[in-house]
Amino acid sequence: MCGIVGYTGNEQAAPILLDGLKRLEYRGYDSAGLAVRDGGALAEVVKATGKLQHLADKTDQGRALPGMCGIGHTRWATHGGPSMVNAHPHVSGNCSGSGSGTVESDVVGVHNGIIENFSELKEKLLRHGYVFYSDTDTEVVVKLVDYYYKKYKIGPVDAITRTMVRVRGSYALALMFKDYPNEIFAARKDSPLIIGTAENASFLASDVPAILKYTRSVYYIDNLQVARVSPGSVKFYDLNGDEVTLPLTEITWDAAAAEKSGYEHFMLKEIHEQPAAVRDTLNSIIKDGDIVLTETGLTDEVIRSLSQIDIVACGSAWHVGMAAQYVIEDLAKLPVRVELASEFRYRSAPMPENTLVIVISQSGETADSLAALRVAKERGALTLAVVNVIGSTIAREADHVLYTLAGPEIAVATTKAYSAQLAAMDALAVRMALARGQISREEYGHLIEELGTIPDKIRRILEDKERLQWFSSKIANAHDIFFIGRGLDYAISLEGSLKMKEISYIHSEAYAAGELKHGTISLIERGTLVVGVLTQSGLYEKTVSNMMECKSRGAYLMGVTTNGNFDVEDSVNFAVYVPRTDEHFVSSLAVVPLQLLGYYTSVSRGLDVDKPRNLAKSVTVE
Ligand code: M6R
């Protein structure tokens, strides 16, 4: 969580930093700050609480902060509540009460991550006369760097590596030193950080969209490395202070993909980008009518040798795993366990030989998923990452990677990345079914053809979104919503419910439809909205019965089903139809109306759809 940016070059830094922060605001938005140097010893620090716009207004869109080297931060509070004094940047020396103003500190820094042993380090620094103004762990790191810098009279790189050896936890750090007016020093462990270079300028950011407008040439700084960033050039060092060489990567994402392009919100734009996200992802896997997984290391021989699959992920990515479980088990007849990444590491569930652990993650930086990946590797499992962000930590650490091609996703609530993950997992299931001899070549060809129809079917659903907009405005004052379904429909209900609650703040739950009567049905009262997902023909009648049980207790019903099931209107108050397709893949379609329902409900309630309260896009803390 938190977004950090840095710039050093021959242009004014503050407007560039603000622009970068704007694109990282999805990572945290309770406060923000900038520190800019104008060639001299002084740094000008400005902070503001609340949305980034407050910081932009306070600095006259950056114009009031002259200087060509600077760092910036947008915060998602961990240590210390959201306040001026806890906002970054933090300084090594003394500062005013709020931490804003002109400072002559030796070190000024911003940080993303959590320093676990910060209390112990703070004690040490207090004993050495340091004064603390904030409750943050970041201020401790900045002061610790300063302490080593002065005590040993060593350069910034060595002061930083000494600090890295001393701290426990995760960090992406960007630091400016008084004695090095045009340079930024950076370090990273388990929090994302990229460094971009252009002619006479260098950039630093937590994520690609922040710098895409300025450069596509980026370095992915590795764990426990330090970078010395100067205008147009960058040097990397390992923990011993020895220089190391990193490859320069060209980003292929289109800069326009990180803009709203006329849509009111990123979420709506990303919902509309789903046909392309699914198509591009499938096209990267399906070549000449064949699902080719060679690049993922999953040869047919490996697939045949597998005894079990464990899918590990968080949030919506976990929901993708839940859906994939039904598809893989049904098509490939291979046992699948789906685990929440945050729990996986605390279980010692036996992992039979030849287990494949699939970690699904949009960002590739989710701390719990990364930790689970490391545990899986320690236990000797073969690991596959299904990841959207190229070069992210999970992608780099897994044995093999299957990239989804959703492009940059900015809205905190995932939509297109979810759909791309689902498509990738479905394609994986189909190949596994063929490799394990569970389907004929003919069935294989048919399933691939069906997969190919998904993008256009999603597009057709999007053409009919006005009905959902109207219905959402009717339910915008709901207190509780229940999403129910069986089998794959249950997996989709989980996602529908999360989309609703995370952006509309309406309490919602997803239940396996058959479970309701074991307790939850007592919550149903007059007017409670129950959304039934009814795409699996074999389960349709059973779920409709469960919905009727709710209706007879006063519930108001919405049903999402496939075209042709028009009799649903005898039971529900509002019906939505999605095109027919092979039932293994229909979840890719059924989820779209549920995304729109969440989106329009949030809009009707006048909420900040793209940046819901208390959340951040990439959860890099455990
Ligand atoms: O980047 P990841 O896919 O690993 O993120 C996992 C979850 O944090 C994410 O899906 C989250 O649940 C979204 N806010 C859901 O919309």
Side-chain angles (χ1 to χ4, degrees):
M1 342 275 264
C2 301
I4 68 177
V5 289
Y7 171 80
T8 178
N10 53 12
E11 289 183 47
Q12 289 300 306
I16 295 173
L17 296 172
L18 280 172
D19 184 57
L21 287 180
K22 196 166 130 221
R23 285 156 221 284
L24 293 184
E25 213 185 355
Y26 67 85
R27 299 181 64 86
Y29 29 85
D30 61 45
S31 55
L34 297 174
V36 176
R37 319 269 310 254
D38 198 8
L42 303 178
E44 190 73 32
V45 178
V46 184
K47 305 179 184 189
T49 51
K51 292 281 160 67
L52 183 65
Q53 192 54 44
H54 299 165
L55 181 67
D57 293 343
K58 206 166 171 181
T59 58
D60 187 18
Q61 317 307 315
R63 287 185 287 266
L65 269 184
M68 294 189 276
C69 179
I71 52 180
H73 187 268
T74 178
R75 181 166 188 253
W76 187 86
T78 53
H79 290 75
S83 66
M84 278 286 276
V85 82
N86 287 334
H88 302 206
H90 289 284
V91 300
S92 60
N94 297 335
C95 64
S96 71
S98 69
S100 275
T102 308
V103 292
E104 205 192 330
S105 278
D106 285 285
V107 189
V108 182
V110 292
H111 163 225
N112 168 30
I114 287 188
I115 304 301
E116 287 160 10
N117 56 339
F118 85 104
S119 318
E120 154 203 336
L121 296 169
K122 190 169 182 175
E123 286 299 313
K124 169 191 164 84
L125 291 164
L126 282 167
R127 284 197 299 277
H128 284 92
Y130 281 89
V131 178
F132 287 86
Y133 299 88
S134 74
D135 305 317
T136 66
D137 49 349
T138 306
E139 192 182 3
V140 176
V141 190
V142 170
K143 287 184 166 148
L144 190 62
V145 171
D146 180 71
Y147 169 75
Y148 288 131
Y149 183 63
K150 288 183 180 138
K151 176 169 178 191
Y152 297 107
K153 309 235 174 328
I154 46 181
V157 171
D158 292 323
I160 294 170
T161 54
R162 270 182 189 266
T163 306
M164 289 161 80
V165 172
R166 198 69 179 78
V167 300
R168 284 198 308 276
S170 59
Y171 48 83
L173 277 170
L175 302 163
M176 295 193 298
F177 287 74
K178 185 174 92 178
D179 306 330
Y180 299 80
N182 300 316
E183 291 180 291
I184 302 169
F185 294 82
R188 138 169 217 273
K189 179 178 172 276
D190 292 344
S191 288
L193 185 64
I194 54 163
I195 293 167
T197 51
E199 216 185 329
N200 302 323
S202 296
F203 306 81
L204 216 133
S206 301
D207 200 358
V208 173
I211 60 174
L212 207 49
K213 198 162 139 188
Y214 309 100
T215 181
R216 288 165 177 282
S217 309
V218 305
Y219 294 101
Y220 290 94
I221 177 171
D222 243 317
N223 261 347
L224 298 175
Q225 287 183 338
V226 177
R228 180 174 187 161
V229 186
S230 321
S233 73
V234 51
K235 286 185 174 165
F236 296 95
Y237 303 87
D238 63 16
L239 215 45
N240 299 318
D242 294 332
E243 197 172 333
V244 290
T245 312
L246 294 186
L248 192 62
T249 305
E250 276 301 299
I251 300 291
T252 52
W253 283 357
D254 178 3
E259 306 289 341
K260 278 194 208 154
S261 313
Y263 285 93
E264 201 181 339
H265 298 102
F266 277 111
M267 184 175 173
L268 188 61
K269 173 177 172 255
E270 288 160 6
I271 286 174
H272 281 84
E273 284 172 346
Q274 291 183 107
V278 171
R279 192 185 46 241
D280 292 351
T281 301
L282 288 174
N283 284 348
S284 73
I285 309 171
I286 303 173
K287 312 249 163 67
D288 298 327
D290 198 21
I291 296 171
V292 184
L293 299 175
T294 349
E295 279 175 30
T296 68
L298 290 186
T299 60
D300 286 354
E301 204 185 339
V302 171
I303 291 171
R304 277 191 286 274
S305 74
L306 296 177
S307 55
Q308 175 174 302
I309 295 181
D310 284 7
I311 302 178
V312 190
C314 301
S316 294
W318 179 74
H319 299 160
V320 170
M322 289 293 285
Q325 177 183 39
Y326 291 101
V327 182
I328 298 173
E329 288 189 339
D330 193 52
L331 286 177
K333 311 285 183 253
L334 190 59
V336 181
R337 280 194 318 202
V338 188
E339 302 269 352
L340 288 166
S342 53
E343 288 296 314
F344 178 75
R345 53 199 299 216
Y346 303 116
R347 294 181 54 192
S348 16
M351 200 177 271
E353 218 179 304
N354 297 328
T355 296
L356 170 69
V357 174
I358 306 180
V359 179
I360 307 177
S361 174
Q362 186 286 128
S363 61
E365 300 292 349
T366 301
D368 288 321
S369 304
L370 177 60
L373 170 69
R374 289 175 179 166
V375 168
K377 288 183 79 174
E378 269 164 35
R379 294 193 195 161
L382 177 69
T383 56
L384 170 71
V386 177
V387 165
N388 194 46
V389 176
I390 295 168
S392 54
T393 311
I394 291 174
R396 283 186 287 158
E397 291 196 15
D399 296 315
H400 300 291
V401 195
L402 172 53
Y403 279 115
T404 49
L405 301 186
E409 191 178 62
I410 310 293
V412 166
T414 180
T415 52
K416 64 173 178 170
Y418 168 92
S419 289
Q421 288 163 351
L422 208 53
M425 292 302 289
D426 284 345
L428 211 63
V430 173
R431 184 72 212 191
M432 285 180 169
L434 179 77
R436 293 170 59 82
Q438 299 296 334
I439 52 172
S440 64
R441 272 268 161 200
E442 198 188 341
E443 287 166 308
Y444 175 69
H446 168 71
L447 289 171
I448 291 177
E449 245 172 59
E450 280 287 287
L451 276 175
T453 66
I454 299 294
D456 194 52
K457 288 174 179 165
I458 296 178
R459 189 189 52 71
R460 275 156 50 197
I461 299 169
L462 292 172
E463 277 171 2
D464 194 25
K465 58 182 187 289
E466 281 71 23
R467 285 183 74 238
L468 278 154
Q469 186 171 8
W470 166 82
F471 185 70
S472 303
S473 66
K474 270 174 72 92
I475 61 148
N477 292 323
H479 289 293
D480 305 286
I481 305 181
F482 294 92
F483 291 76
I484 63 170
R486 289 168 182 255
L488 259 173
D489 288 337
Y490 168 51
I492 298 312
S493 301
L494 287 166
E495 180 60 6
S497 171
L498 181 59
K499 284 291 87 79
M500 177 59 73
K501 72 181 110 181
E502 72 179 326
I503 54 172
S504 76
Y505 315 151
I506 296 176
H507 167 252
S508 80
E509 299 292 340
Y511 276 91
E515 257 314 281
L516 270 188
K517 57 186 175 292
H518 296 288
T520 311
I521 201 161
S522 65
L523 293 173
I524 303 291
E525 49 190 39
R526 192 163 186 77
T528 306
L529 176 62
V530 175
V531 181
V533 185
L534 304 152
T535 67
Q536 304 293 300
S537 48
L539 302 169
Y540 176 87
E541 280 178 6
K542 283 187 191 299
T543 304
V544 169
S545 294
N546 298 134
M547 293 173 76
M548 294 309 284
E549 286 157 13
C550 296
K551 193 173 190 177
S552 59
R553 285 156 181 87
Y556 188 71
L557 300 184
M558 166 176 166
V560 177
T561 188
T562 41
N563 262 336
N565 288 339
F566 302 121
D567 61 332
V568 77
E569 291 183 31
D570 299 338
S571 314
V572 306
N573 305 88
F574 180 67
V576 177
Y577 301 96
V578 297
R580 282 196 176 274
T581 198
D582 184 282
E583 286 186 5
H584 294 101
F585 312 140
V586 73
S587 35
S588 289
L589 307 180
V591 74
V592 178
L594 302 183
Q595 295 167 340
L596 290 166
L597 187 70
Y599 170 77
Y600 283 122
T601 305
S602 176
V603 172
S604 299
R605 288 165 71 89
L607 299 172
D608 189 343
V609 178
D610 287 336
K611 296 189 285 285
R613 71 183 177 204
N614 305 339
L615 293 177
K617 179 77 180 159
S618 174
V619 186
T620 52
V621 293
E622 286 176 31

